[in-house]
Structures are given as C-alpha cells and as structure tokens.
Amino acid sequence: MAAILTITLNPALDVTTTTERLRPQQKLRCNAPRFDPGGGGINVSRAIGELGGDSRALVALGGASGAQLRGLLEAEGLSFEVFPVEGETRFSLTVMEAASGLHYRFVLPGPEQHVEFEDRLLARIGELVGPDCRFVVGSGSLLPGVAENFYGKLARLVAGRGARLVLDTHGAALRAAIESRPYLIRVNHLEAQELLGGRAGTAAHRLARDLVDRHFTEAAIVTLGDRGAIVATEGSETEIVPPHVTVRSTVGAGDSFVGALTLGLARGWPLVTAARYGVAAAAAAVTTEATQLCEADRVAELFAEIGGVIPSS
C-alpha cells in the first residue's frame, strides 16, 4: 500500500491544441490535439511519480471518455484504481493562441451522480486508507450531485484511520470542509480572502495566520503565484520566495506544488522544507508547455536555488 492516496472525483480528459489567433464567429483551424489525463488528484500523482515517489490514485471514471482517460493512465504507468460513475467523464479544452502566446481554458462540468455514489465512494476510500497510508490528497472539484461537505466527511474518515488529509479545493466544497479541520489546506491568495471574508488586499501573511488561528486547519499554505507561498502553523509563519523563471504556461503548477509538497511530507521532511520543494516544482511546471507538469531535474535545480536541502534519512 502506498503512503500517499490521491482522490480525483471529477477528472477530465485534457485536450490541448494551438491556433494562430482566436476570433469570434469564425472557423478556427487548429493543430493536431494532444490528449492528457487531467484532474487534480491525477496530476498530483503524476507529479509524485515524476519526482521518484509512489502513490495510489483513486479516479472516478465513466463512459467512452473515461475509458480513453484510463488508457492514458495505463500508458503512463500510474498506479490507480477506477471507481465507476454514471455518465461520461468530462473534457477540458486548452487552446494556445500562437500570435499572443496566451492560452484559453474551457472546462466542462462532470456527470451528475446519485446520492448512493458518495456512500459507496467513502466506503472504498476507507478500505484503501490502510496502516501504511499516511497522507490522502483531496484535490479538485466535486462531481455534480455530490454533497458540498464531501471533503469534510473525507477529513473525518482519514483522521479516524490515522492518516492526514491534504486538501486543495475551493468555493463551497472548501467552506464545508474546514468544519472538520483537515490537516493542511492549500489555497491561493484570492481563495483565502474569500474563505475568510477579508477585505480586498488583505496581506497573505494575515490570511495564512487566520486560517490556523481560527482552527480551520492545522497547517495552511497560501500560494502567491510568482511571489511564492506563505506557510503557517500554530506559532509559526514562513514566507518562501520562488526562483525567477520564464513562464510558458501556468497549467499544472498548483498540482505540481501539491505533489512535491505531499511527497516531501511522506518522506518525513519538515513542513517548510516540503513546501519549498512544492514551490520549486510549481516554478518548474510553469516553464513547460501546455498541460505538462514539472520535470524532476529542473525541480532539483530550482529547489537548490531557493535554499532547499533534502534532509538526510
């Protein structure tokens, strides 16, 4: 049993293509598409694998698009288990505009599920969180029909099994989850501000501190894009300044961060060291094209550049 289990409720078959320029009401000729397995937990597991770690991914899939996504996971050699859903797994379309270098993302909703789906899923997760599983990653949006407090239920289940939940979600799902105080939440500056009801421009340091002081989580990480991240625990607060890199695409940066962070934690690293590893992974991810994630060699270089030192075992 892997020490890390990732959960992807609403995965996507990611389709990426390029056109010269986006124009309304015209037929736009595109290059041959690239297909990738997508979804928060899937990408976290892919990043962990790229960095030399092991994880098990539980992925909810359905229909022909789900079968295609499953084939992509198998081709990557990812350790995963399919949890069947009703309906078709969604598509996500990324269009790169060659003239500007900008990318545009079109994300479709997932298939609607019935009430019993949630109970069956939690039961299976409970079976997978065995004695060797130390961290569970809940990442991404919920499927339509799944209750907003699903991640809160997951936090209680995981804690009851002696593991820790690393949560990377937003909106109503996050607001409901904090009632169960997951071990760690990763939010960006705007998501933290929305969660806390703070005024526009509230400092990230204050937001990270408030998330912990109000007992929403044991550890909070507020990410700031090209300005790095703030890590807060009870009585501790650390700013991590990222390395300077040339940005090609921001897709996958957050998932790379969470993958590297969780891998570091599973290896027994201090939280701040693991978070530095996450910042390095996010910086590496933005230097790649489209939906590509971080690359191990580049992560190692950037980790050293920001003062990251891998603890001796």
Side-chain angles (χ1 to χ4, degrees), residues 60-221:
L61 296 176
S65 54
Q68 187 175 356
L69 198 156
R70 176 176 186 157
L72 293 170
L73 294 176
E74 290 171 344
E76 288 203 10
L78 200 70
S79 174
F80 70 96
E81 176 179 318
V82 170
F83 193 87
V85 301
E86 297 181 13
E88 288 282 335
T89 293
R90 62 180 177 159
F91 285 84
S92 173
L93 175 64
T94 299
V95 179
M96 311 294 292
E97 186 181 56
S100 65
L102 299 175
H103 68 267
Y104 298 82
R105 302 180 70 187
F106 304 87
V107 181
L108 302 179
E112 183 89 21
Q113 300 304 304
H114 298 299
V115 175
E116 63 272 12
F117 167 84
E118 183 178 321
D119 294 335
R120 290 188 294 107
L121 178 61
L122 286 169
R124 182 56 186 148
I125 293 172
E127 294 170 351
L128 292 173
V129 184
D132 296 329
C133 183
R134 298 177 57 207
F135 292 92
V136 176
V137 178
S139 181
S141 60
L142 302 176
L143 279 165
V146 174
E148 291 178 350
N149 66 346
F150 174 84
Y151 282 131
K153 294 178 182 178
L154 180 62
R156 293 192 294 273
L157 184 154
V158 168
R161 297 290 196 278
R164 291 175 162 183
L165 179 66
V166 175
L167 185 59
D168 183 12
T169 191
H170 60 277
L174 178 59
R175 288 194 297 274
I178 58 177
E179 296 180 5
S180 300
R181 200 178 186 232
Y183 163 65
L184 185 151
I185 60 174
R186 198 285 300 193
V187 289
N188 64 36
H189 194 172
L190 292 177
E191 290 165 346
Q193 194 167 279
E194 177 187 346
L195 181 63
L196 291 164
R199 297 189 305 274
T202 302
H205 288 270
R206 173 66 181 274
L207 294 172
R209 168 60 43 217
D210 283 354
L211 289 169
V212 174
D213 288 349
R214 291 168 65 173
H215 302 288
F216 289 168
T217 181
E218 186 175 331
I221 298 180

